[in-house]
Amino acid sequence: MATMDRIYTVGQVNGLVQAALSQSLPARMTVRGEVRDFRCHHSGHCYFLLKDTSGVLPCVMWSSRFRSVKFMPENGMSVLATGYVDVYAQGGKYQFYIDRLDPEGTGALQKAFEQMVAKLKAEGLFGEEHKQSLPSFPQCIAVLTSESGAAWHDIADSIHGRWPAVTLVLCPVPVQGEGAAARMAESIARINARRADLPVDLMIVGRGGGSMDDLWAFNEEVLARAIFASRIPVISAVGHEVDITVADLVADARASTPTQAGVVAVPDEAEVSEDLAHMARRLSVSLRARLDLCHSQFANLETADVLRRPDRMIHDRHQWLDDWGETMRGTVRDRVRAAQDGLVVYQAQIGHLEPYRLLGRHRVAVGTLAGCLESAITARVAQRKLLLEAPAHRLAALNPKSVLGRGFTITRNGRTGTLVRHREAVQLGDLLVTELAGENIIESKVTKQ
Amino acid sequence: MTKTPVKKKQDKPTFEQAVAELKQIVDKIEDGQIPLEESLGQYEKGMALIQHCRTILQQAEKRIEKISANQDSEE
């Protein structure tokens, strides 16, 4: 239990572990693994895990080291990390301190290139709609390249060989190494800013061929953004035909080599001279044709009747007037005649209609109808009269006083005033009042029953 | 060596302007849409422009200048 007797501090333990690690582990190791939980702190330091099927390894990459990594590590990416294992006492853990990081499979630069292309493409920096058209006849071309490189002479010779009427402005810049892209970007911005006193109307950014590493500055974001922002059109002319850089993709035009830049940038003097000669011929030919046309038109005019016999025109007009008057008269005559003919026809048609006969026919019909109506009414009246007379006679016969005229009398009891219809209606001594025709009255006394 | 170029001949058209105007003149005369007198005037102007362009090419001196990086960075 001797080991139990000694009490260690945390620091001592971590120190022992550190010593044990440094003794037993190689000073530098390269580890293959998959990136997990990648975090790039704003300080620039990166923290992530390397993982394989057996477990994970915590990793640190300081910003000073990470700056030289061209590609951006992504979760799930398979990488080869080189560094050493040490203890992180504050965290109580060991971790892998990486000083070099490469993607597995494709090279780091290729990966970085692909990532940059994808990023800027997504932002639209390569869009055709952003490409500026190049001037047809540039007057002042700024060439951004290394003063010492062959590219400058290739570019200058190819441009002036084709088109001497241009001023080339060499703007010496470093084209490879740390900071080269930034210097080129600054120069592009500065030339744009100096447009008032430096009338550059085209820019060429380029260099000769080299390894991908040599050309790397032309893949950097800062240069791509400066080319994109330039108001002056930019031609990229980098490396050999096969080399494609980010600068090529973002530039307004690409020359596959510095020598080819001349073909892209300027027209060929011989061709332009030929064009000028052609235009001079067109001018002369078309003017000659125009003059010939004028001559022939003038010749036609000279021989025209109008000019040769001006009185003829007046006579012609007179004749025309006469003809026209005749025609007009004839026309009026024809129309009047036609109207008259029409009238005769209408008159005949009306005559055929014989209105008086029509009227007579109607008059007879009316007379007949009146007779019929009268006899019908007379018959109807007689009929009604007959119907009325029978009840009148019967009514007259019913009047009791009418029988008095025929000798009948009406006898009333003078006492009672009632009609005497039978013997019992009177008593002896009663006064009988007998009414005769003509309001005559006879009074008599009942003397016997 | 770093003197700013161009700014010369402000009255003269640039090569590009001259060629553009020349094309217009040729089209106008070929169309026959302008009066004869104007055609004659335009013809003379076109020929002058052609001569101007030829002069530019003949007198071109393949100028090369250099912007010194130091002078630039001072700005």
Side-chain angles (χ1 to χ4, degrees), chain B residues 51-64:
Chain B
Q51 191 50 48
H52 172 63
C53 288
R54 282 182 176 146
T55 307
I56 289 179
L57 290 179
Q58 280 156 11
Q59 293 180 348
E61 48 195 320
K62 301 188 179 181
R63 287 171 63 123
I64 290 179

Side-chain angles (χ1 to χ4, degrees), chain A residues 136-137 139 147 160 163-165 167-170 172 190 194 197 272 276-277 280 282 284 286-287 290, chain B residues 4 14-16 26 29-30 34 36 39 43 47 50 53-54 57 60 62-67 72 75:
Chain A
S136 307
F137 305 98
Q139 292 182 282
E147 191 173 9
H160 274 158
W163 190 251
T167 301
L168 292 179
V169 178
L170 171 63
R190 202 175 306 120
R194 281 186 59 182
D197 66 309
V272 173
L276 285 174
R282 277 170 67 189
S284 299
S286 55
L287 191 73
R290 182 69 190 267
Chain B
T4 53
T14 64
F15 197 94
E16 188 154 11
V26 173
I29 295 181
E30 281 184 340
I34 52 173
L36 182 63
S39 292
Y43 171 81
M47 283 310 196
I50 287 172
C53 288
R54 282 182 176 146
L57 290 179
K62 301 188 179 181
R63 287 171 63 123
I64 290 179
E65 301 181 6
K66 192 174 99 176
I67 310 176
D72 273 358
E75 286 182 1

Side-chain angles (χ1 to χ4, degrees), chain A residues 115-132 221 224-225 227-229 246 249-252:
Chain A
Q115 286 177 337
M116 185 59 68
V117 167
K119 177 183 176 182
L120 298 182
K121 189 172 187 176
E123 283 187 43
L125 261 68
F126 305 151
E128 280 301 317
E129 69 274 19
H130 297 304
K131 303 290 185 204
Q132 303 181 81
E221 186 171 356
R225 293 203 181 277
I227 292 173
F228 184 74
V246 171
L249 298 173
V250 75
D252 297 300

